[in-house]
Amino acid sequence: AAGTVPRRRPPESDMGRGLTLLLLALLAAPAQAEGGTAAAEEVKIEVLHLPEACSPKSKKGDLLNAHYDGFLASDGSKFYCSRTQNEGHPKWFVLGVGQVIKGLDIAMMNMCPGEKRKVTIPPSLAYGQQGYAQGKIPPNATLIFEIELYAVNKGPRSVEAFNQIDKDSDKKLSELEISQYLKEEFARDGKKRHPSAHEEILADIFKKNDHDGDGFISAKEYNVYQHDEL
């Protein structure tokens, strides 16, 4: 299911971002299949600014950095401003995997760094009939977002990320490889954690990703979002 827009997170340094994204990617359930073109057509996209050099363009699985403001279409009132969250830092999220509402996952496809868009998202691709009381969004609300995209990077489920963890290049991730990668990320992150955190996270990663129970996470189980062959 789509997440909130966006989920609140405690402030974190860029050094800690890699660990957060790795864990988010490894612990997340595989993404649902994309909806049909009819759903995509329901999102109205207006390009406010397009850079002359528009590359790379965002695709599913990419790691994006953006600021965005959210408004209710009914009265124009603002219900969200990313610039007032997390000390004003732009938001990092992986595109197309449900970290934001479905409408934003659709609206931010094929978008390049420096591009600005105004998008209108119907209730069916936002919070639907239930709304989102915590976010001050009423039932059946059409939403408008003004988005400024800053960066398009390879996402944590990319081929590059898989190969970085796969030290022996056998096209599958062992418990030792992921354990070592977690240690490196913990060290880089520099935050104090309970000694049991490492083992708990490692166990959870395999519980949610090692679907065939063979003790390894294959490329397919890792759910790489690119079409590149490993």
Side-chain angles (χ1 to χ4, degrees), residues 69-85:
D69 295 334
F71 306 85
L72 297 179
S74 58
D75 60 8
S77 62
K78 183 184 291 188
F79 63 83
Y80 182 75
C81 175
S82 63
R83 292 173 176 82
T84 63
Q85 305 277 328

Side-chain angles (χ1 to χ4, degrees), residues 27 44 46-47 49 53 56 74 88 123-124 148 152 165 176 184 205 213-214:
L27 297 177
K44 179 183 177 183
E46 179 185 354
V47 177
H49 174 71
S74 58
S124 61
E148 182 173 4
V152 177
I165 303 171
L176 180 61
E184 293 171 0
I205 287 173
D214 68 349

Side-chain angles (χ1 to χ4, degrees), residues 179-193:
S179 178
Q180 181 59 37
Y181 192 76
L182 287 177
K183 288 179 181 178
E184 293 171 0
E185 288 295 316
F186 279 144
R188 189 177 296 116
D189 173 271
K191 295 181 180 178
K192 292 183 178 180
R193 292 176 176 81

Side-chain angles (χ1 to χ4, degrees), residues 34-50:
E34 289 294 321
T37 55
E41 291 172 355
E42 293 180 20
V43 176
K44 179 183 177 183
I45 299 174
E46 179 185 354
V47 177
L48 303 178
H49 174 71
L50 189 66

Side-chain angles (χ1 to χ4, degrees), residues 20-198:
T20 301
L21 292 166
L22 168 72
L23 300 186
L24 185 61
L26 287 174
L27 297 177
Q32 299 297 315
E34 289 294 321
T37 55
E41 291 172 355
E42 293 180 20
V43 176
K44 179 183 177 183
I45 299 174
E46 179 185 354
V47 177
L48 303 178
H49 174 71
L50 189 66
E52 289 186 19
C54 187
S55 179
K57 291 193 174 184
S58 60
K59 62 183 181 303
K60 181 179 178 180
D62 280 344
L63 176 61
L64 305 188
N65 185 232
H67 263 316
Y68 45 94
D69 295 334
F71 306 85
L72 297 179
S74 58
D75 60 8
S77 62
K78 183 184 291 188
F79 63 83
Y80 182 75
C81 175
S82 63
R83 292 173 176 82
T84 63
Q85 305 277 328
N86 194 19
E87 299 181 348
H89 296 303
K91 300 301 177 184
W92 288 97
F93 64 94
V94 180
L95 183 65
V97 300
Q99 288 182 14
V100 291
I101 57 173
K102 181 71 172 178
L104 278 176
D105 270 340
I106 293 171
M108 296 184 70
M109 291 286 183
N110 298 311
M111 194 173 180
C112 59
E115 185 173 345
K116 297 180 182 180
R117 289 182 178 182
K118 179 179 180 180
V119 302
T120 304
I121 300 172
S124 61
L125 296 174
Y127 294 97
Q129 297 179 357
Q130 293 185 342
Y132 180 51
Q134 185 178 350
K136 300 181 180 179
I137 298 172
N140 299 310
T142 296
L143 307 181
I144 295 173
F145 284 91
E146 293 183 357
I147 307 162
E148 182 173 4
L149 184 62
Y150 295 103
V152 177
N153 296 334
K154 297 285 188 182
R157 291 275 191 168
S158 67
V159 172
E160 289 83 357
F162 185 96
N163 289 337
Q164 185 178 357
I165 303 171
D166 184 22
K167 299 291 188 183
D168 61 6
S169 302
D170 64 353
K171 308 307 178 188
K172 57 185 179 182
L173 307 182
S174 68
E175 190 169 323
L176 180 61
E177 286 173 330
I178 293 180
S179 178
Q180 181 59 37
Y181 192 76
L182 287 177
K183 288 179 181 178
E184 293 171 0
E185 288 295 316
F186 279 144
R188 189 177 296 116
D189 173 271
K191 295 181 180 178
K192 292 183 178 180
R193 292 176 176 81
H194 191 277
S196 65
H198 179 100

Side-chain angles (χ1 to χ4, degrees), residues 22 204 230:
L22 168 72
D204 203 25
L230 281 165

